[in-house]
Amino acid sequence: MPKVSVIIPTHNRAEFLYSAITSVLDQTYQDVEIIVVDDASEDNTRRVIDHFHDNRIKYFCHEKNKGEAGARNTGILNSKGEFIAFLDDDDEWLPEKLSLQVSLLDNNPKKFGLVYTGYFVIDKNSKNILSQRVPSKKGDVYNYIILKNIIGAPSTVLLRRECIEEVGLFDENIAYGLDHDMWIRISKYFFFEYVKESLVKYYIHHDRLSNNPVIRARGLDDMVKKYGKHIVLKNTYYRQSLLSIGVQFCHLGDMKNGIKLLIRAIRANSFELRNYFYLGCALFGARNFRRFVKFKDRLLAPLRNNKT
C-alpha cells in the first residue's frame, strides 16, 4: 500500500498534464500512487497517460463533467495512501516537496493533520516568476483561515487521511473556492504545519478558473450561503473578491454584472475608495472603463516601481 496518494484532477489540459505527472515521478520521495481523474475531457488526455509506463499511475475517467470538487472526490474515494496530496493539472512540484512534507507529518503528533508549502507564481508563457508566496501561519489556524485562504494554491497541500474521514469530501455545491472551504473544515479539528520553502510552481495562464468571473461570483455566493453574510462583512478576502470580480466583468464588457458586483463591494466596505473609482468608470461603458483604468495604471506605475 502506498504511503502517499497524489490526486490530479484534469479537464482538457493535455498540454499541461504531462509536466504535472512528470514532476511527481521526479520526486525524491517515491512511495506514491498517482490518481489522475479525467473529468470528461475532449482532448488527447488519455494519450498523455498512455505515454507513461508506470503502474503507480491510475486513471479514472468521468463520462460526464462533475467539476473540480467531483473530480477530487473521485480521486479520494479511489485512493489508498495514508497521506493525500493534491496537484492541479497545470502546476508542478519541485523534487523535494513530498519528502519534506512526509517527514513533517511523520514527526509530528496526529493532531497536526495538514502541511503546506510556499510556492512560486509563474507566467506560463514567459516562465518568469511573478511572485513568491511564503507561508506564515501554523498550529491552530482556524481564526486566520476563516478570514483568508492562507494556503493559496491547493497543490501545496499534503494531509492525513484522517482529515477527510473527520470532515468529509469536498463540497460539490461550491463552484469556486471549494479548497478554502475544505481547509476551514479541517482547521476545526487539526493543527496545520508548513514548509517555508517554495516547492510548487503555480502557473498563471488564460485557461485558469480564476479567469472566469461567472464561476468566481457563483463560488462567492456559495460560500456566503454556507458561512453566512459575515463572511463578506468581516472578511477582507471576500470584500476584495467582490471588487476583483466586478472589475473582471467590466474588463470583459459585461457592465451589468460588473456594476452589480461593484455596488456589493461598496455595501460590504464603504470606506474603500477603489470601489467608487471603478464603479464611476463602469458607468461610462466598457470602452471608457478600459481607457480610464489603463490611464490610472499608467499614472501609478512609477509609484509601484519605486516600491520595488
Coordinates of all heavy atoms in Angstrom, one line a residue, residues 8-21 36-49 52 59 65 68 72 87-91 124 154-155 176 202-212 215:
I8 N -4.7 14.1 -9.1 CA -4.6 15.1 -10.1 C -5.9 15.1 -10.9 O -6.1 14.3 -11.8 CB -3.4 14.8 -11.1 CG1 -2.1 14.6 -10.3 CG2 -3.3 15.9 -12.1 CD1 -0.9 14.2 -11.2
P9 N -6.8 16.1 -10.6 CA -8.0 16.2 -11.5 C -7.6 16.9 -12.8 O -6.8 17.9 -12.7 CB -8.9 17.0 -10.6 CG -8.0 17.8 -9.7 CD -6.7 17.0 -9.5
T10 N -8.2 16.6 -13.9 CA -7.8 17.2 -15.1 C -9.1 17.3 -16.0 O -9.9 16.5 -16.0 CB -6.7 16.5 -15.8 OG1 -6.2 17.3 -16.9 CG2 -7.1 15.1 -16.3
H11 N -9.1 18.4 -16.8 CA -10.1 18.6 -17.8 C -9.6 19.4 -19.0 O -9.3 20.6 -18.8 CB -11.4 19.3 -17.2 CG -12.5 19.6 -18.2 ND1 -13.2 18.6 -18.7 CD2 -12.9 20.7 -18.7 CE1 -14.1 19.1 -19.6 NE2 -13.9 20.4 -19.6
N12 N -9.4 18.7 -20.1 CA -9.0 19.4 -21.4 C -7.7 20.2 -21.2 O -7.6 21.3 -21.7 CB -10.1 20.3 -21.9 CG -11.3 19.6 -22.4 OD1 -11.2 18.4 -22.8 ND2 -12.4 20.2 -22.5
R13 N -6.7 19.6 -20.5 CA -5.4 20.3 -20.3 C -4.3 19.3 -20.6 O -3.3 19.2 -19.8 CB -5.3 20.9 -18.9 CG -6.2 22.1 -18.7 CD -5.6 22.9 -17.5 NE -6.4 24.1 -17.2 CZ -6.7 24.4 -16.0 NH1 -6.3 23.7 -15.0 NH2 -7.4 25.5 -15.8
A14 N -4.4 18.6 -21.7 CA -3.4 17.6 -22.0 C -2.0 18.2 -22.2 O -1.0 17.6 -21.8 CB -3.8 16.9 -23.3
E15 N -2.0 19.5 -22.6 CA -0.7 20.1 -22.9 C 0.0 20.4 -21.6 O 1.2 20.6 -21.6 CB -0.9 21.4 -23.7 CG -1.5 22.6 -23.0 CD -3.0 22.6 -23.0 OE1 -3.6 21.5 -23.2 OE2 -3.6 23.7 -22.9
F16 N -0.7 20.5 -20.5 CA -0.1 20.7 -19.2 C 0.1 19.5 -18.3 O 1.1 19.4 -17.5 CB -0.9 21.7 -18.3 CG -1.2 23.0 -19.0 CD1 -2.4 23.7 -18.8 CD2 -0.2 23.7 -19.7 CE1 -2.6 24.9 -19.3 CE2 -0.5 24.9 -20.3 CZ -1.7 25.5 -20.1
L17 N -0.7 18.5 -18.5 CA -0.8 17.3 -17.7 C 0.5 16.5 -17.6 O 0.9 16.0 -16.6 CB -1.9 16.4 -18.1 CG -2.2 15.1 -17.3 CD1 -2.5 15.5 -15.9 CD2 -3.3 14.3 -18.0
Y18 N 1.2 16.4 -18.8 CA 2.4 15.7 -18.9 C 3.5 16.2 -17.8 O 4.1 15.4 -17.1 CB 3.0 15.7 -20.3 CG 4.3 15.0 -20.4 CD1 4.3 13.6 -20.8 CD2 5.5 15.6 -20.3 CE1 5.5 12.9 -20.9 CE2 6.7 14.9 -20.4 CZ 6.7 13.6 -20.7 OH 7.9 12.9 -20.9
S19 N 3.6 17.5 -17.8 CA 4.6 18.1 -16.9 C 4.2 17.9 -15.4 O 5.1 17.7 -14.6 CB 4.7 19.6 -17.2 OG 5.3 19.8 -18.5
A20 N 2.9 18.0 -15.1 CA 2.4 17.8 -13.8 C 2.8 16.4 -13.3 O 3.3 16.2 -12.2 CB 0.9 18.0 -13.7
I21 N 2.4 15.3 -14.1 CA 2.7 14.0 -13.7 C 4.2 13.7 -13.6 O 4.7 13.1 -12.7 CB 2.1 13.0 -14.8 CG1 0.6 13.1 -14.7 CG2 2.6 11.6 -14.5 CD1 -0.1 12.3 -15.8
V36 N -5.0 10.0 -11.5 CA -5.4 11.0 -12.5 C -6.9 10.8 -12.7 O -7.4 9.8 -13.2 CB -4.7 10.9 -13.8 CG1 -5.1 12.0 -14.8 CG2 -3.2 11.1 -13.6
V37 N -7.7 11.9 -12.5 CA -9.2 11.8 -12.7 C -9.5 12.8 -13.9 O -9.4 14.0 -13.8 CB -9.9 12.3 -11.4 CG1 -11.4 12.1 -11.7 CG2 -9.5 11.4 -10.2
D38 N -9.8 12.1 -15.0 CA -10.2 12.8 -16.2 C -11.7 13.2 -16.1 O -12.5 12.3 -16.2 CB -9.9 11.9 -17.4 CG -10.2 12.6 -18.7 OD1 -10.8 13.7 -18.7 OD2 -9.8 12.0 -19.8
D39 N -11.9 14.5 -16.0 CA -13.3 15.0 -15.8 C -14.0 15.2 -17.2 O -14.3 16.3 -17.5 CB -13.3 16.2 -15.0 CG -14.7 16.5 -14.4 OD1 -15.5 15.6 -14.3 OD2 -14.9 17.7 -14.0
A40 N -14.1 14.1 -17.9 CA -14.8 14.1 -19.2 C -14.1 15.0 -20.2 O -14.7 15.9 -20.9 CB -16.3 14.5 -19.1
S41 N -12.8 14.9 -20.3 CA -12.0 15.7 -21.3 C -12.4 15.3 -22.7 O -12.8 14.2 -23.0 CB -10.5 15.5 -21.1 OG -10.1 16.0 -19.8
E42 N -12.2 16.3 -23.6 CA -12.5 16.0 -25.1 C -11.2 16.2 -25.9 O -11.2 16.2 -27.1 CB -13.5 17.0 -25.6 CG -14.9 16.8 -24.8 CD -15.9 17.9 -25.2 OE1 -15.4 19.0 -25.7 OE2 -17.1 17.7 -25.0
D43 N -10.0 16.2 -25.2 CA -8.8 16.3 -25.9 C -8.0 15.0 -25.9 O -8.7 14.0 -25.6 CB -7.9 17.5 -25.4 CG -7.6 17.3 -23.9 OD1 -8.0 16.3 -23.3 OD2 -7.0 18.2 -23.3
N44 N -6.7 15.0 -26.0 CA -5.9 13.8 -26.0 C -5.4 13.4 -24.6 O -4.2 12.9 -24.5 CB -4.8 13.8 -27.1 CG -3.8 14.9 -26.8 OD1 -4.1 15.9 -26.1 ND2 -2.6 14.8 -27.3
T45 N -6.1 13.7 -23.6 CA -5.7 13.4 -22.2 C -5.3 11.9 -22.1 O -4.3 11.6 -21.5 CB -6.8 13.8 -21.2 OG1 -6.9 15.2 -21.2 CG2 -6.4 13.3 -19.8
R46 N -6.1 11.0 -22.6 CA -5.8 9.6 -22.4 C -4.5 9.2 -23.1 O -3.7 8.4 -22.5 CB -6.9 8.8 -23.1 CG -6.7 7.3 -22.9 CD -6.7 6.9 -21.4 NE -6.0 5.7 -21.1 CZ -6.5 4.6 -20.6 NH1 -7.8 4.6 -20.3 NH2 -5.8 3.5 -20.4
R47 N -4.1 9.9 -24.2 CA -2.9 9.6 -24.8 C -1.7 10.0 -24.0 O -0.6 9.4 -24.0 CB -2.8 10.3 -26.2 CG -2.4 9.4 -27.4 CD -2.4 10.1 -28.7 NE -3.6 10.8 -28.9 CZ -3.7 11.8 -29.9 NH1 -2.6 12.1 -30.5 NH2 -4.8 12.4 -30.1
V48 N -1.8 11.1 -23.2 CA -0.8 11.6 -22.3 C -0.5 10.5 -21.3 O 0.6 10.2 -20.9 CB -1.2 12.9 -21.7 CG1 -0.2 13.3 -20.6 CG2 -1.3 14.0 -22.7
I49 N -1.6 10.0 -20.7 CA -1.5 8.9 -19.7 C -0.8 7.7 -20.2 O 0.1 7.1 -19.6 CB -2.9 8.5 -19.1 CG1 -3.6 9.7 -18.6 CG2 -2.8 7.4 -18.0 CD1 -2.9 10.4 -17.4
F52 N 3.1 7.2 -20.3 CA 3.8 6.8 -19.1 C 3.6 5.3 -18.9 O 2.5 4.8 -19.0 CB 3.3 7.5 -17.8 CG 3.6 9.0 -17.8 CD1 2.6 9.9 -18.3 CD2 4.8 9.5 -17.5 CE1 2.8 11.2 -18.3 CE2 5.0 10.9 -17.5 CZ 4.0 11.7 -17.9
Y59 N -5.8 5.7 -13.7 CA -6.5 6.6 -14.5 C -8.0 6.3 -14.3 O -8.5 5.2 -14.5 CB -6.1 6.4 -16.0 CG -6.9 7.3 -16.9 CD1 -6.7 8.7 -17.0 CD2 -7.8 6.7 -17.8 CE1 -7.4 9.4 -17.9 CE2 -8.6 7.5 -18.7 CZ -8.3 8.8 -18.8 OH -9.0 9.6 -19.7
N65 N -19.0 15.6 -17.1 CA -18.2 16.5 -16.3 C -18.9 16.8 -14.9 O -20.0 17.1 -14.8 CB -18.1 17.9 -17.0 CG -17.1 18.8 -16.3 OD1 -17.6 19.6 -15.4 ND2 -15.9 18.9 -16.7
E68 N -14.6 20.5 -10.5 CA -13.4 20.3 -9.7 C -13.6 19.4 -8.4 O -12.8 18.5 -8.1 CB -12.8 21.7 -9.3 CG -11.5 21.6 -8.6 CD -11.1 23.0 -8.2 OE1 -11.7 24.0 -8.5 OE2 -10.0 23.1 -7.5
R72 N -12.0 15.7 -7.6 CA -11.1 15.4 -6.5 C -11.7 14.3 -5.6 O -11.0 13.5 -5.1 CB -10.9 16.7 -5.7 CG -10.0 17.7 -6.3 CD -9.6 18.8 -5.4 NE -9.0 19.9 -6.1 CZ -8.7 21.1 -5.5 NH1 -8.9 21.2 -4.2 NH2 -8.1 22.0 -6.2
L87 N -2.6 17.9 -6.6 CA -1.8 18.6 -7.6 C -2.7 19.0 -8.8 O -3.3 18.1 -9.4 CB -0.6 17.7 -8.1 CG 0.2 18.3 -9.2 CD1 0.9 19.6 -8.8 CD2 1.3 17.3 -9.7
D88 N -2.9 20.3 -9.0 CA -3.6 20.7 -10.1 C -2.9 20.4 -11.4 O -1.6 20.4 -11.5 CB -3.9 22.2 -10.1 CG -4.9 22.6 -9.0 OD1 -5.6 21.7 -8.5 OD2 -5.0 23.8 -8.7
D89 N -3.6 20.1 -12.5 CA -3.0 19.6 -13.7 C -2.1 20.6 -14.4 O -1.3 20.2 -15.3 CB -4.1 19.1 -14.7 CG -5.2 20.1 -15.0 OD1 -5.0 21.3 -14.6 OD2 -6.1 19.8 -15.8
D90 N -2.2 21.9 -14.0 CA -1.4 22.9 -14.7 C -0.3 23.4 -13.8 O 0.4 24.4 -14.1 CB -2.2 24.0 -15.2 CG -3.1 24.6 -14.1 OD1 -3.2 24.0 -13.0 OD2 -3.8 25.6 -14.4
D91 N -0.1 22.7 -12.6 CA 1.0 23.1 -11.7 C 2.1 22.0 -11.7 O 1.9 20.9 -12.3 CB 0.5 23.3 -10.3 CG -0.5 24.5 -10.1 OD1 -0.4 25.4 -11.0 OD2 -1.3 24.5 -9.2
K124 N 3.0 31.3 -17.4 CA 3.1 30.1 -18.1 C 3.9 30.3 -19.5 O 4.6 29.5 -19.9 CB 1.8 29.5 -18.4 CG 1.8 28.1 -19.0 CD 2.3 27.1 -18.0 CE 2.3 25.6 -18.5 NZ 2.8 24.6 -17.5
P154 N -3.9 24.9 -3.8 CA -4.1 23.6 -3.3 C -3.0 22.6 -3.6 O -2.8 21.6 -2.9 CB -5.4 23.1 -3.9 CG -5.6 24.0 -5.1 CD -4.9 25.3 -4.7
S155 N -2.2 22.9 -4.6 CA -1.1 22.0 -5.0 C 0.0 22.0 -3.9 O 0.9 21.1 -4.0 CB -0.5 22.4 -6.3 OG -1.4 22.3 -7.4
Y176 N -16.6 27.6 -6.8 CA -15.2 28.2 -6.8 C -14.9 28.5 -5.3 O -15.7 29.1 -4.6 CB -15.1 29.4 -7.6 CG -13.8 30.0 -7.8 CD1 -12.9 29.5 -8.7 CD2 -13.3 31.0 -6.9 CE1 -11.6 30.0 -8.9 CE2 -12.0 31.5 -7.1 CZ -11.2 31.0 -8.0 OH -9.9 31.5 -8.2
Y202 N 3.2 27.4 -9.4 CA 1.8 27.7 -9.7 C 1.8 28.6 -10.9 O 2.2 29.8 -10.9 CB 1.3 28.4 -8.4 CG -0.2 28.9 -8.6 CD1 -1.2 28.1 -8.3 CD2 -0.4 30.2 -8.9 CE1 -2.5 28.5 -8.4 CE2 -1.7 30.7 -9.0 CZ -2.8 29.8 -8.8 OH -4.1 30.3 -8.9
Y203 N 1.3 28.1 -12.0 CA 1.3 28.8 -13.3 C 0.1 29.6 -13.5 O -1.1 29.2 -13.3 CB 1.5 27.8 -14.4 CG 2.9 27.2 -14.5 CD1 3.1 25.9 -14.1 CD2 4.0 27.9 -15.0 CE1 4.4 25.3 -14.2 CE2 5.2 27.4 -15.0 CZ 5.4 26.1 -14.6 OH 6.7 25.6 -14.7
I204 N 0.3 30.8 -14.0 CA -0.7 31.7 -14.5 C -0.9 31.6 -16.0 O 0.1 31.8 -16.7 CB -0.4 33.2 -14.0 CG1 -0.3 33.3 -12.5 CG2 -1.5 34.1 -14.6 CD1 -1.6 33.0 -11.8
H205 N -2.1 31.4 -16.4 CA -2.3 31.4 -17.9 C -3.8 31.7 -18.1 O -4.6 31.8 -17.2 CB -2.0 30.0 -18.5 CG -2.7 28.9 -17.8 ND1 -3.9 28.4 -18.1 CD2 -2.3 28.1 -16.8 CE1 -4.3 27.4 -17.4 NE2 -3.3 27.2 -16.5
H206 N -4.2 31.8 -19.4 CA -5.5 32.3 -19.7 C -6.6 31.3 -19.4 O -7.8 31.7 -19.3 CB -5.6 32.7 -21.2 CG -5.6 31.5 -22.1 ND1 -4.5 30.8 -22.5 CD2 -6.6 30.8 -22.7 CE1 -4.8 29.7 -23.2 NE2 -6.1 29.7 -23.4
D207 N -6.3 30.0 -19.2 CA -7.3 29.0 -19.1 C -7.6 28.6 -17.6 O -8.2 27.6 -17.3 CB -6.9 27.7 -19.9 CG -8.0 26.7 -20.1 OD1 -9.1 27.2 -20.1 OD2 -7.7 25.5 -20.1
R208 N -7.1 29.4 -16.7 CA -7.4 29.1 -15.3 C -8.8 29.5 -14.9 O -9.4 30.4 -15.4 CB -6.4 29.9 -14.4 CG -5.0 29.4 -14.5 CD -4.2 29.9 -13.2 NE -4.5 29.1 -12.1 CZ -3.9 28.0 -11.7 NH1 -2.8 27.6 -12.4 NH2 -4.2 27.3 -10.7
L209 N -9.4 28.7 -13.9 CA -10.7 29.0 -13.5 C -10.9 30.4 -12.9 O -11.9 31.1 -13.0 CB -11.2 28.0 -12.4 CG -11.7 26.7 -12.8 CD1 -12.0 25.8 -11.6 CD2 -12.9 26.8 -13.8
S210 N -9.7 30.9 -12.4 CA -9.8 32.3 -11.8 C -10.0 33.4 -12.8 O -10.3 34.5 -12.5 CB -8.4 32.6 -11.0 OG -7.3 32.4 -11.9
N211 N -9.9 33.0 -14.1 CA -10.1 34.0 -15.2 C -11.6 34.0 -15.6 O -12.0 34.8 -16.5 CB -9.3 33.6 -16.4 CG -7.8 33.9 -16.2 OD1 -7.4 34.7 -15.3 ND2 -6.9 33.2 -16.9
N212 N -12.4 33.2 -14.9 CA -13.8 33.1 -15.3 C -14.6 33.8 -14.2 O -14.9 33.2 -13.1 CB -14.3 31.7 -15.4 CG -15.7 31.5 -15.9 OD1 -16.6 32.3 -15.6 ND2 -15.9 30.5 -16.7
I215 N -17.9 32.0 -12.7 CA -17.7 30.9 -11.8 C -17.2 31.5 -10.4 O -17.6 31.0 -9.4 CB -16.6 29.9 -12.3 CG1 -17.3 29.1 -13.5 CG2 -16.2 28.9 -11.2 CD1 -16.3 28.2 -14.2

